mmCIF file of all heavy atoms in Angstrom:
data_model
loop_
_atom_site.group_PDB
_atom_site.id
_atom_site.type_symbol
_atom_site.label_atom_id
_atom_site.label_comp_id
_atom_site.label_asym_id
_atom_site.label_seq_id
_atom_site.Cartn_x
_atom_site.Cartn_y
_atom_site.Cartn_z
ATOM 1 N N LEU A 1480 -12.279 -1.708 -13.983
ATOM 2 C CA LEU A 1480 -11.064 -0.930 -13.984
ATOM 3 C C LEU A 1480 -11.166 0.220 -12.983
ATOM 4 O O LEU A 1480 -10.215 0.481 -12.090
ATOM 5 C CB LEU A 1480 -10.704 -0.410 -15.316
ATOM 6 C CG LEU A 1480 -9.401 0.510 -15.413
ATOM 7 C CD1 LEU A 1480 -8.180 -0.234 -14.976
ATOM 8 C CD2 LEU A 1480 -9.231 1.088 -16.800
ATOM 9 N N LEU A 1481 -12.283 0.989 -13.013
ATOM 10 C CA LEU A 1481 -12.394 2.035 -12.069
ATOM 11 C C LEU A 1481 -12.365 1.577 -10.628
ATOM 12 O O LEU A 1481 -11.854 2.260 -9.755
ATOM 13 C CB LEU A 1481 -13.675 2.863 -12.339
ATOM 14 C CG LEU A 1481 -13.623 3.691 -13.653
ATOM 15 C CD1 LEU A 1481 -15.019 4.269 -13.960
ATOM 16 C CD2 LEU A 1481 -12.586 4.807 -13.485
ATOM 17 N N ALA A 1482 -13.076 0.465 -10.389
ATOM 18 C CA ALA A 1482 -13.159 -0.079 -8.996
ATOM 19 C C ALA A 1482 -11.752 -0.520 -8.557
ATOM 20 O O ALA A 1482 -11.337 -0.205 -7.432
ATOM 21 C CB ALA A 1482 -14.076 -1.235 -8.931
ATOM 22 N N ALA A 1483 -10.963 -1.141 -9.464
ATOM 23 C CA ALA A 1483 -9.623 -1.528 -9.090
ATOM 24 C C ALA A 1483 -8.786 -0.348 -8.818
ATOM 25 O O ALA A 1483 -7.976 -0.399 -7.828
ATOM 26 C CB ALA A 1483 -9.077 -2.386 -10.248
ATOM 27 N N ARG A 1484 -8.899 0.666 -9.585
ATOM 28 C CA ARG A 1484 -8.071 1.916 -9.334
ATOM 29 C C ARG A 1484 -8.480 2.571 -7.996
ATOM 30 O O ARG A 1484 -7.640 3.117 -7.218
ATOM 31 C CB ARG A 1484 -8.301 2.867 -10.521
ATOM 32 C CG ARG A 1484 -7.587 2.362 -11.823
ATOM 33 C CD ARG A 1484 -7.884 3.287 -12.962
ATOM 34 N NE ARG A 1484 -6.859 4.336 -12.916
ATOM 35 C CZ ARG A 1484 -6.843 5.306 -13.776
ATOM 36 N NH1 ARG A 1484 -7.791 5.349 -14.739
ATOM 37 N NH2 ARG A 1484 -5.914 6.281 -13.731
ATOM 38 N N ALA A 1485 -9.734 2.542 -7.670
ATOM 39 C CA ALA A 1485 -10.224 3.196 -6.457
ATOM 40 C C ALA A 1485 -9.699 2.365 -5.276
ATOM 41 O O ALA A 1485 -9.173 2.981 -4.287
ATOM 42 C CB ALA A 1485 -11.743 3.169 -6.387
ATOM 43 N N ILE A 1486 -9.731 1.090 -5.291
ATOM 44 C CA ILE A 1486 -9.221 0.295 -4.245
ATOM 45 C C ILE A 1486 -7.643 0.387 -4.097
ATOM 46 O O ILE A 1486 -7.132 0.533 -2.997
ATOM 47 C CB ILE A 1486 -9.652 -1.221 -4.386
ATOM 48 C CG1 ILE A 1486 -11.087 -1.378 -4.282
ATOM 49 C CG2 ILE A 1486 -8.800 -2.192 -3.512
ATOM 50 C CD1 ILE A 1486 -11.704 -2.671 -4.697
ATOM 51 N N THR A 1487 -7.028 0.483 -5.255
ATOM 52 C CA THR A 1487 -5.580 0.751 -5.193
ATOM 53 C C THR A 1487 -5.200 2.030 -4.573
ATOM 54 O O THR A 1487 -4.287 2.148 -3.691
ATOM 55 C CB THR A 1487 -4.983 0.666 -6.658
ATOM 56 O OG1 THR A 1487 -5.260 -0.693 -7.119
ATOM 57 C CG2 THR A 1487 -3.473 0.912 -6.633
ATOM 58 N N THR A 1488 -5.955 3.072 -4.871
ATOM 59 C CA THR A 1488 -5.735 4.413 -4.291
ATOM 60 C C THR A 1488 -5.982 4.358 -2.741
ATOM 61 O O THR A 1488 -5.152 4.912 -1.929
ATOM 62 C CB THR A 1488 -6.648 5.442 -4.965
ATOM 63 O OG1 THR A 1488 -6.345 5.500 -6.325
ATOM 64 C CG2 THR A 1488 -6.404 6.872 -4.303
ATOM 65 N N LEU A 1489 -7.050 3.721 -2.311
ATOM 66 C CA LEU A 1489 -7.246 3.607 -0.854
ATOM 67 C C LEU A 1489 -6.119 2.876 -0.225
ATOM 68 O O LEU A 1489 -5.691 3.241 0.867
ATOM 69 C CB LEU A 1489 -8.591 2.921 -0.569
ATOM 70 C CG LEU A 1489 -9.811 3.834 -0.920
ATOM 71 C CD1 LEU A 1489 -11.045 2.920 -0.949
ATOM 72 C CD2 LEU A 1489 -9.967 4.923 0.009
ATOM 73 N N ALA A 1490 -5.611 1.797 -0.828
ATOM 74 C CA ALA A 1490 -4.517 1.003 -0.230
ATOM 75 C C ALA A 1490 -3.284 1.796 -0.211
ATOM 76 O O ALA A 1490 -2.508 1.726 0.766
ATOM 77 C CB ALA A 1490 -4.341 -0.268 -1.027
ATOM 78 N N TRP A 1491 -3.023 2.602 -1.238
ATOM 79 C CA TRP A 1491 -1.852 3.420 -1.331
ATOM 80 C C TRP A 1491 -1.791 4.507 -0.273
ATOM 81 O O TRP A 1491 -0.713 4.818 0.295
ATOM 82 C CB TRP A 1491 -1.697 4.105 -2.721
ATOM 83 C CG TRP A 1491 -0.537 4.961 -2.908
ATOM 84 C CD1 TRP A 1491 -0.559 6.296 -2.892
ATOM 85 C CD2 TRP A 1491 0.786 4.536 -3.208
ATOM 86 N NE1 TRP A 1491 0.709 6.891 -3.100
ATOM 87 C CE2 TRP A 1491 1.571 5.693 -3.304
ATOM 88 C CE3 TRP A 1491 1.399 3.295 -3.295
ATOM 89 C CZ2 TRP A 1491 2.927 5.684 -3.593
ATOM 90 C CZ3 TRP A 1491 2.797 3.313 -3.658
ATOM 91 C CH2 TRP A 1491 3.522 4.452 -3.722
ATOM 92 N N ASN A 1492 -2.957 5.002 0.157
ATOM 93 C CA ASN A 1492 -3.125 6.090 1.059
ATOM 94 C C ASN A 1492 -3.265 5.646 2.558
ATOM 95 O O ASN A 1492 -3.515 6.409 3.379
ATOM 96 C CB ASN A 1492 -4.253 7.022 0.653
ATOM 97 C CG ASN A 1492 -4.019 7.683 -0.685
ATOM 98 O OD1 ASN A 1492 -2.858 7.617 -1.193
ATOM 99 N ND2 ASN A 1492 -4.994 8.416 -1.129
ATOM 100 N N TRP A 1493 -3.281 4.244 2.747
ATOM 101 C CA TRP A 1493 -3.495 3.707 4.088
ATOM 102 C C TRP A 1493 -2.209 3.948 4.858
ATOM 103 O O TRP A 1493 -1.143 3.756 4.543
ATOM 104 C CB TRP A 1493 -3.632 2.267 3.794
ATOM 105 C CG TRP A 1493 -4.115 1.438 5.033
ATOM 106 C CD1 TRP A 1493 -3.784 1.618 6.302
ATOM 107 C CD2 TRP A 1493 -4.918 0.286 4.967
ATOM 108 N NE1 TRP A 1493 -4.353 0.668 7.129
ATOM 109 C CE2 TRP A 1493 -5.051 -0.236 6.298
ATOM 110 C CE3 TRP A 1493 -5.532 -0.407 3.928
ATOM 111 C CZ2 TRP A 1493 -5.723 -1.319 6.647
ATOM 112 C CZ3 TRP A 1493 -6.239 -1.546 4.336
ATOM 113 C CH2 TRP A 1493 -6.322 -2.066 5.621
ATOM 114 N N ARG A 1494 -2.490 4.464 6.133
ATOM 115 C CA ARG A 1494 -1.382 4.706 7.048
ATOM 116 C C ARG A 1494 -1.594 3.998 8.345
ATOM 117 O O ARG A 1494 -2.774 3.927 8.901
ATOM 118 C CB ARG A 1494 -1.217 6.234 7.272
ATOM 119 C CG ARG A 1494 -0.785 7.015 6.021
ATOM 120 C CD ARG A 1494 0.559 6.650 5.597
ATOM 121 N NE ARG A 1494 1.008 7.214 4.380
ATOM 122 C CZ ARG A 1494 1.017 6.703 3.154
ATOM 123 N NH1 ARG A 1494 0.502 5.561 2.984
ATOM 124 N NH2 ARG A 1494 1.470 7.422 2.136
ATOM 125 N N ALA A 1495 -0.492 3.528 8.931
ATOM 126 C CA ALA A 1495 -0.566 2.875 10.252
ATOM 127 C C ALA A 1495 -0.550 3.964 11.320
ATOM 128 O O ALA A 1495 -0.149 5.051 11.010
ATOM 129 C CB ALA A 1495 0.684 1.987 10.393
ATOM 130 N N PRO A 1496 -0.832 3.511 12.558
ATOM 131 C CA PRO A 1496 -0.834 4.523 13.679
ATOM 132 C C PRO A 1496 0.554 5.063 13.707
ATOM 133 O O PRO A 1496 1.564 4.485 13.546
ATOM 134 C CB PRO A 1496 -1.101 3.647 14.893
ATOM 135 C CG PRO A 1496 -1.858 2.552 14.292
ATOM 136 C CD PRO A 1496 -1.308 2.191 12.992
ATOM 137 N N ILE A 1497 0.593 6.433 14.092
ATOM 138 C CA ILE A 1497 1.836 7.097 14.317
ATOM 139 C C ILE A 1497 1.635 8.228 15.323
ATOM 140 O O ILE A 1497 0.575 8.770 15.361
ATOM 141 C CB ILE A 1497 2.321 7.721 12.960
ATOM 142 C CG1 ILE A 1497 3.673 8.440 13.057
ATOM 143 C CG2 ILE A 1497 1.351 8.693 12.383
ATOM 144 C CD1 ILE A 1497 4.286 8.959 11.829
ATOM 145 N N ALA A 1498 2.661 8.439 16.081
ATOM 146 C CA ALA A 1498 2.602 9.522 17.118
ATOM 147 C C ALA A 1498 1.350 9.384 17.915
ATOM 148 O O ALA A 1498 1.160 8.257 18.611
ATOM 149 C CB ALA A 1498 2.683 10.870 16.536
ATOM 150 N N GLU A 1499 0.563 10.314 18.013
ATOM 151 C CA GLU A 1499 -0.742 10.344 18.826
ATOM 152 C C GLU A 1499 -1.912 9.609 18.164
ATOM 153 O O GLU A 1499 -2.974 9.586 18.752
ATOM 154 C CB GLU A 1499 -1.023 11.770 19.314
ATOM 155 C CG GLU A 1499 -0.036 12.353 20.154
ATOM 156 C CD GLU A 1499 -0.410 13.817 20.391
ATOM 157 O OE1 GLU A 1499 -1.575 14.256 20.420
ATOM 158 O OE2 GLU A 1499 0.598 14.556 20.708
ATOM 159 N N LEU A 1500 -1.772 9.318 16.850
ATOM 160 C CA LEU A 1500 -2.876 8.583 16.243
ATOM 161 C C LEU A 1500 -2.879 7.087 16.556
ATOM 162 O O LEU A 1500 -1.889 6.463 16.283
ATOM 163 C CB LEU A 1500 -2.728 8.768 14.639
ATOM 164 C CG LEU A 1500 -2.836 10.243 14.233
ATOM 165 C CD1 LEU A 1500 -2.537 10.309 12.664
ATOM 166 C CD2 LEU A 1500 -4.199 10.829 14.586
ATOM 167 N N THR A 1501 -3.894 6.659 17.228
ATOM 168 C CA THR A 1501 -3.818 5.284 17.720
ATOM 169 C C THR A 1501 -4.479 4.224 16.824
ATOM 170 O O THR A 1501 -4.558 3.091 17.193
ATOM 171 C CB THR A 1501 -4.548 5.230 19.095
ATOM 172 O OG1 THR A 1501 -5.871 5.721 18.890
ATOM 173 C CG2 THR A 1501 -3.925 6.186 20.093
ATOM 174 N N ALA A 1502 -4.972 4.721 15.689
ATOM 175 C CA ALA A 1502 -5.654 3.693 14.790
ATOM 176 C C ALA A 1502 -5.210 4.007 13.367
ATOM 177 O O ALA A 1502 -4.722 5.080 13.069
ATOM 178 C CB ALA A 1502 -7.179 3.840 14.881
ATOM 179 N N ASP A 1503 -5.349 2.995 12.455
ATOM 180 C CA ASP A 1503 -5.048 3.213 11.123
ATOM 181 C C ASP A 1503 -6.006 4.270 10.476
ATOM 182 O O ASP A 1503 -7.028 4.559 11.000
ATOM 183 C CB ASP A 1503 -5.276 1.891 10.295
ATOM 184 C CG ASP A 1503 -4.299 0.776 10.595
ATOM 185 O OD1 ASP A 1503 -3.455 1.018 11.575
ATOM 186 O OD2 ASP A 1503 -4.275 -0.206 9.965
ATOM 187 N N GLY A 1504 -5.577 4.804 9.338
ATOM 188 C CA GLY A 1504 -6.423 5.736 8.670
ATOM 189 C C GLY A 1504 -5.959 5.933 7.248
ATOM 190 O O GLY A 1504 -4.918 5.379 6.808
ATOM 191 N N CYS A 1505 -6.775 6.600 6.546
ATOM 192 C CA CYS A 1505 -6.517 6.792 5.119
ATOM 193 C C CYS A 1505 -6.368 8.289 4.836
ATOM 194 O O CYS A 1505 -7.278 9.030 5.203
ATOM 195 C CB CYS A 1505 -7.664 6.164 4.298
ATOM 196 S SG CYS A 1505 -7.316 5.981 2.523
ATOM 197 N N ILE A 1506 -5.291 8.713 4.309
ATOM 198 C CA ILE A 1506 -5.032 10.096 3.979
ATOM 199 C C ILE A 1506 -5.514 10.424 2.547
ATOM 200 O O ILE A 1506 -5.530 9.534 1.735
ATOM 201 C CB ILE A 1506 -3.598 10.524 4.192
ATOM 202 C CG1 ILE A 1506 -2.677 9.630 3.337
ATOM 203 C CG2 ILE A 1506 -3.239 10.383 5.646
ATOM 204 C CD1 ILE A 1506 -1.237 10.031 3.443
ATOM 205 N N PRO A 1507 -5.775 11.731 2.282
ATOM 206 C CA PRO A 1507 -6.194 12.017 0.908
ATOM 207 C C PRO A 1507 -5.151 11.870 -0.133
ATOM 208 O O PRO A 1507 -5.441 11.505 -1.237
ATOM 209 C CB PRO A 1507 -6.608 13.511 1.042
ATOM 210 C CG PRO A 1507 -6.798 13.761 2.463
ATOM 211 C CD PRO A 1507 -5.930 12.865 3.211
ATOM 212 N N SER A 1508 -3.871 12.063 0.250
ATOM 213 C CA SER A 1508 -2.797 11.931 -0.667
ATOM 214 C C SER A 1508 -1.482 11.737 0.020
ATOM 215 O O SER A 1508 -1.239 12.427 1.054
ATOM 216 C CB SER A 1508 -2.625 13.216 -1.567
ATOM 217 O OG SER A 1508 -1.435 13.177 -2.354
ATOM 218 N N PRO A 1509 -0.693 10.757 -0.356
ATOM 219 C CA PRO A 1509 0.654 10.529 0.314
ATOM 220 C C PRO A 1509 1.609 11.577 0.044
ATOM 221 O O PRO A 1509 2.688 11.616 0.635
ATOM 222 C CB PRO A 1509 1.092 9.191 -0.157
ATOM 223 C CG PRO A 1509 0.443 8.986 -1.552
ATOM 224 C CD PRO A 1509 -0.851 9.786 -1.443
ATOM 225 N N PHE A 1510 1.357 12.458 -0.901
ATOM 226 C CA PHE A 1510 2.285 13.465 -1.340
ATOM 227 C C PHE A 1510 2.179 14.797 -0.694
ATOM 228 O O PHE A 1510 3.121 15.573 -0.623
ATOM 229 C CB PHE A 1510 2.365 13.547 -2.822
ATOM 230 C CG PHE A 1510 2.506 12.259 -3.565
ATOM 231 C CD1 PHE A 1510 1.430 11.665 -4.185
ATOM 232 C CD2 PHE A 1510 3.694 11.525 -3.442
ATOM 233 C CE1 PHE A 1510 1.575 10.470 -4.853
ATOM 234 C CE2 PHE A 1510 3.866 10.306 -4.168
ATOM 235 C CZ PHE A 1510 2.777 9.831 -4.808
ATOM 236 N N ALA A 1511 0.967 15.110 -0.247
ATOM 237 C CA ALA A 1511 0.744 16.417 0.271
ATOM 238 C C ALA A 1511 0.088 16.491 1.660
ATOM 239 O O ALA A 1511 0.020 17.575 2.203
ATOM 240 C CB ALA A 1511 -0.234 17.178 -0.753
ATOM 241 N N TYR A 1512 -0.366 15.378 2.163
ATOM 242 C CA TYR A 1512 -1.090 15.455 3.477
ATOM 243 C C TYR A 1512 -0.404 14.482 4.511
ATOM 244 O O TYR A 1512 0.007 13.376 4.111
ATOM 245 C CB TYR A 1512 -2.556 15.002 3.251
ATOM 246 C CG TYR A 1512 -3.338 15.919 2.315
ATOM 247 C CD1 TYR A 1512 -3.442 15.504 0.990
ATOM 248 C CD2 TYR A 1512 -3.855 17.073 2.724
ATOM 249 C CE1 TYR A 1512 -4.134 16.389 0.102
ATOM 250 C CE2 TYR A 1512 -4.565 17.833 1.889
ATOM 251 C CZ TYR A 1512 -4.673 17.538 0.513
ATOM 252 O OH TYR A 1512 -5.352 18.387 -0.302
ATOM 253 N N ARG A 1513 -0.362 14.931 5.702
ATOM 254 C CA ARG A 1513 0.111 14.122 6.762
ATOM 255 C C ARG A 1513 -0.978 13.617 7.737
ATOM 256 O O ARG A 1513 -0.781 12.716 8.520
ATOM 257 C CB ARG A 1513 1.199 14.799 7.589
ATOM 258 C CG ARG A 1513 2.363 15.256 6.725
ATOM 259 C CD ARG A 1513 3.341 15.871 7.542
ATOM 260 N NE ARG A 1513 3.848 14.966 8.529
ATOM 261 C CZ ARG A 1513 4.867 15.072 9.194
ATOM 262 N NH1 ARG A 1513 5.682 16.022 8.999
ATOM 263 N NH2 ARG A 1513 5.282 14.174 10.092
ATOM 264 N N GLY A 1514 -2.129 14.245 7.679
ATOM 265 C CA GLY A 1514 -3.201 13.988 8.616
ATOM 266 C C GLY A 1514 -4.473 13.462 7.936
ATOM 267 O O GLY A 1514 -4.454 13.267 6.669
ATOM 268 N N TYR A 1515 -5.437 13.203 8.704
ATOM 269 C CA TYR A 1515 -6.698 12.729 8.278
ATOM 270 C C TYR A 1515 -7.734 13.870 8.199
ATOM 271 O O TYR A 1515 -8.019 14.514 9.229
ATOM 272 C CB TYR A 1515 -7.213 11.598 9.138
ATOM 273 C CG TYR A 1515 -6.223 10.542 9.324
ATOM 274 C CD1 TYR A 1515 -5.827 10.075 10.557
ATOM 275 C CD2 TYR A 1515 -5.675 9.902 8.180
ATOM 276 C CE1 TYR A 1515 -4.877 9.060 10.667
ATOM 277 C CE2 TYR A 1515 -4.766 8.923 8.296
ATOM 278 C CZ TYR A 1515 -4.304 8.495 9.572
ATOM 279 O OH TYR A 1515 -3.365 7.574 9.631
ATOM 280 N N TRP A 1516 -8.263 14.161 7.090
ATOM 281 C CA TRP A 1516 -9.208 15.274 6.858
ATOM 282 C C TRP A 1516 -10.617 14.737 7.011
ATOM 283 O O TRP A 1516 -11.051 13.856 6.290
ATOM 284 C CB TRP A 1516 -8.919 15.892 5.517
ATOM 285 C CG TRP A 1516 -7.574 16.500 5.367
ATOM 286 C CD1 TRP A 1516 -6.370 15.833 5.396
ATOM 287 C CD2 TRP A 1516 -7.293 17.909 5.316
ATOM 288 N NE1 TRP A 1516 -5.423 16.799 5.419
ATOM 289 C CE2 TRP A 1516 -5.955 18.082 5.342
ATOM 290 C CE3 TRP A 1516 -8.104 19.109 5.272
ATOM 291 C CZ2 TRP A 1516 -5.307 19.271 5.224
ATOM 292 C CZ3 TRP A 1516 -7.501 20.320 5.204
ATOM 293 C CH2 TRP A 1516 -6.089 20.366 5.250
ATOM 294 N N GLY A 1517 -11.450 15.454 7.833
ATOM 295 C CA GLY A 1517 -12.765 14.998 8.062
ATOM 296 C C GLY A 1517 -13.529 14.815 6.838
ATOM 297 O O GLY A 1517 -14.242 13.906 6.552
ATOM 298 N N TRP A 1518 -13.458 15.837 5.921
ATOM 299 C CA TRP A 1518 -14.240 15.831 4.667
ATOM 300 C C TRP A 1518 -13.976 14.552 3.873
ATOM 301 O O TRP A 1518 -14.843 13.961 3.237
ATOM 302 C CB TRP A 1518 -13.905 17.029 3.844
ATOM 303 C CG TRP A 1518 -14.535 17.151 2.546
ATOM 304 C CD1 TRP A 1518 -14.096 17.000 1.332
ATOM 305 C CD2 TRP A 1518 -15.910 17.595 2.348
ATOM 306 N NE1 TRP A 1518 -14.957 17.181 0.406
ATOM 307 C CE2 TRP A 1518 -16.157 17.552 0.969
ATOM 308 C CE3 TRP A 1518 -16.910 17.918 3.223
ATOM 309 C CZ2 TRP A 1518 -17.375 17.858 0.432
ATOM 310 C CZ3 TRP A 1518 -18.143 18.244 2.615
ATOM 311 C CH2 TRP A 1518 -18.395 18.213 1.250
ATOM 312 N N ASP A 1519 -12.706 14.183 3.842
ATOM 313 C CA ASP A 1519 -12.321 12.902 3.066
ATOM 314 C C ASP A 1519 -12.499 11.709 3.940
ATOM 315 O O ASP A 1519 -12.886 10.574 3.363
ATOM 316 C CB ASP A 1519 -10.823 13.062 2.677
ATOM 317 C CG ASP A 1519 -10.564 14.254 1.773
ATOM 318 O OD1 ASP A 1519 -10.906 14.190 0.655
ATOM 319 O OD2 ASP A 1519 -9.940 15.182 2.346
ATOM 320 N N SER A 1520 -12.324 11.773 5.221
ATOM 321 C CA SER A 1520 -12.382 10.531 6.043
ATOM 322 C C SER A 1520 -13.714 9.857 5.973
ATOM 323 O O SER A 1520 -13.818 8.628 5.965
ATOM 324 C CB SER A 1520 -12.113 10.903 7.507
ATOM 325 O OG SER A 1520 -10.682 11.241 7.614
ATOM 326 N N TRP A 1521 -14.808 10.635 5.958
ATOM 327 C CA TRP A 1521 -16.123 9.930 5.961
ATOM 328 C C TRP A 1521 -16.239 9.220 4.580
ATOM 329 O O TRP A 1521 -16.870 8.170 4.481
ATOM 330 C CB TRP A 1521 -17.212 10.999 6.123
ATOM 331 C CG TRP A 1521 -16.919 12.024 7.271
ATOM 332 C CD1 TRP A 1521 -16.822 13.329 7.080
ATOM 333 C CD2 TRP A 1521 -16.686 11.705 8.541
ATOM 334 N NE1 TRP A 1521 -16.468 13.899 8.253
ATOM 335 C CE2 TRP A 1521 -16.445 12.905 9.258
ATOM 336 C CE3 TRP A 1521 -16.716 10.589 9.333
ATOM 337 C CZ2 TRP A 1521 -16.234 13.028 10.651
ATOM 338 C CZ3 TRP A 1521 -16.491 10.622 10.667
ATOM 339 C CH2 TRP A 1521 -16.272 11.862 11.291
ATOM 340 N N LYS A 1522 -15.811 9.861 3.579
ATOM 341 C CA LYS A 1522 -15.905 9.149 2.190
ATOM 342 C C LYS A 1522 -14.966 7.977 2.152
ATOM 343 O O LYS A 1522 -15.415 6.977 1.580
ATOM 344 C CB LYS A 1522 -15.503 10.178 1.099
ATOM 345 C CG LYS A 1522 -16.476 11.378 1.024
ATOM 346 C CD LYS A 1522 -16.020 12.370 0.092
ATOM 347 C CE LYS A 1522 -16.704 13.649 0.218
ATOM 348 N NZ LYS A 1522 -16.129 14.677 -0.602
ATOM 349 N N HIS A 1523 -13.806 8.019 2.730
ATOM 350 C CA HIS A 1523 -12.892 6.849 2.674
ATOM 351 C C HIS A 1523 -13.555 5.723 3.457
ATOM 352 O O HIS A 1523 -13.582 4.558 3.031
ATOM 353 C CB HIS A 1523 -11.603 7.229 3.340
ATOM 354 C CG HIS A 1523 -10.732 8.146 2.682
ATOM 355 N ND1 HIS A 1523 -9.862 9.055 3.324
ATOM 356 C CD2 HIS A 1523 -10.700 8.497 1.326
ATOM 357 C CE1 HIS A 1523 -9.311 9.796 2.369
ATOM 358 N NE2 HIS A 1523 -9.792 9.480 1.165
#
């Protein structure tokens, strides 16, 4: 269950390239963040 929830969260936070970002990325939260945070990106 925990693994499924983690994968679902990563999928929910997946973002396609936009503006000057040329590759997909995963944001920490779709509700509060628009960019990719280094601290989180390495863990993602």
Side-chain angles (χ1 to χ4, degrees):
L1480 176 63
L1481 288 173
R1484 290 177 84 182
I1486 291 168
T1487 300
T1488 299
L1489 289 168
W1491 180 258
N1492 296 350
W1493 190 325
R1494 294 294 178 263
I1497 182 174
E1499 296 175 25
L1500 298 174
T1501 59
D1503 290 7
C1505 193
I1506 58 176
S1508 167
F1510 306 109
Y1512 300 96
R1513 297 183 64 161
Y1515 306 124
W1516 294 67
W1518 181 255
D1519 300 286
S1520 291
W1521 316 118
K1522 295 173 193 173
H1523 294 153

